[in-house]
């Protein structure tokens, strides 16, 4: 009876670390190229190196962390080509999710999205970069959940995960003082039931800022 309990504790610990690190990376709390250590991760979450190693392994497999041949762990620094590739994936996946969500975009959903957009206003006023990324992703995720396409949404979230640190760098470049204008266009298209305008607004919102980072 003792062995299964030890095993379950290990699984629970590595899952907890995995989810916590995944959230931090996705929300841009760790900047591009920042080095991490298994010892440091274990100390931060009060666990041994074994669950820390397993959590890192999963995040490396998802492209959220980079493991060098020497064993150095860091968040990736994306090349121009990689940024363009991920921006293209965002456009393809998110336009399709938005399109599938449109028939189910009832008043309650639009009202919810407008409320989230007000939250975006507040974090921008506080110059809260990670808060902005978190609220921006919540805006998109809330819409895309209505698409009822879980596999497609999971792929989209993996792209967001890989872009998290880069999105933090983008926030510093843009120095936003108001919510993304394309959010207003997305809301207007949802209210009008206008699929072409919705796809255009989502595509622009997903790619416009990222492509500014090239060069």
């Amino acid at each position: 009876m003792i062995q299964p309990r030890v095993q379950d504790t290990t699984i629970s610990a590595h899952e907890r670390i995995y989810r916590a690190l995944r959230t931090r990376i996705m929300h841009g709390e760790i900047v591009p190229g920042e080095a991490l250590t298994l010892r440091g991760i274990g100390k931060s979450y009060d666990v041994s190196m074994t669950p820390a190693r397993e959590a890192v392994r999963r995040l490396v497999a998802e492209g959220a962390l980079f493991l060098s041949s020497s064993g150095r762990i860091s968040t990736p620094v994306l090349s121009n080509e990689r940024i363009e590739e991920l921006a293209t994936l965002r456009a393809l996946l998110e336009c399709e999710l938005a399109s599938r969500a449109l028939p189910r975009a009832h008043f309650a959903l639009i009202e919810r999205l407008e409320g989230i957009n007000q939250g975006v206003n507040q974090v921008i006023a506080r110059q809260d970069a990670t808060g902005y990324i978190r609220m921006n992703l919540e805006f998109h995720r809330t819409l895309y959940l209505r698409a009822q396409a879980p596999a497609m949404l999971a792929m989209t979230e993996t792209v967001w995960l890989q872009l998290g640190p880069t999105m933090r760098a983008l926030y510093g470049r843009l120095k936003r003082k108001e919510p993304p204008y394309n959010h207003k266009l997305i809301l207007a298209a949802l209210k009008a039931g206008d699929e072409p305008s919705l796809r255009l607004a989502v595509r622009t919102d997903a790619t416009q800022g990222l492509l500014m980072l090239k060069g």
Side-chain angles (χ1 to χ4, degrees), residues 96-152:
E96 184 62 24
L97 283 166
S99 180
R100 293 184 181 213
L102 183 58
R104 304 181 186 89
H106 305 306
F107 177 77
L109 172 65
I110 296 172
E111 190 175 56
R112 169 65 178 148
L113 291 172
E114 289 175 333
I116 295 171
N117 219 30
Q118 288 301 312
V120 174
N121 260 327
Q122 294 170 12
V123 295
I124 288 175
R126 296 197 304 267
Q127 295 293 294
D128 179 356
T130 59
Y132 168 74
I133 294 170
R134 176 177 54 80
M135 295 297 291
N136 183 52
L137 294 182
E138 184 181 349
F139 178 90
H140 287 274
R141 185 184 286 108
T142 299
L143 172 59
Y144 302 156
L145 281 169
R146 292 297 177 96
Q148 297 183 4
M152 200 177 298

Side-chain angles (χ1 to χ4, degrees), residues 170 173-174 207-215:
L170 173 61
R173 177 81 65 88
L174 293 179
T207 61
Q208 192 174 55
L210 283 172
L211 296 180
M212 288 177 57
L213 288 175
K214 293 179 59 181

Side-chain angles (χ1 to χ4, degrees), residues 47-114:
V47 296
S48 70
M49 289 177 62
T50 299
R53 184 180 293 107
E54 180 60 20
V56 165
R57 184 192 66 78
R58 290 175 66 182
L59 290 164
V60 168
E62 289 184 289
L65 291 175
F66 174 73
L67 181 63
S68 73
S69 56
S70 64
R72 182 178 184 271
I73 305 162
S74 64
T75 50
V77 177
L78 302 181
S79 65
N80 287 345
E81 292 76 15
R82 186 62 174 160
I83 290 172
E84 185 172 8
E85 179 187 10
L86 292 172
T88 299
L89 280 173
R90 280 200 66 179
L92 290 170
L93 291 166
E94 295 185 43
C95 286
E96 184 62 24
L97 283 166
S99 180
R100 293 184 181 213
L102 183 58
R104 304 181 186 89
H106 305 306
F107 177 77
L109 172 65
I110 296 172
E111 190 175 56
R112 169 65 178 148
L113 291 172
E114 289 175 333

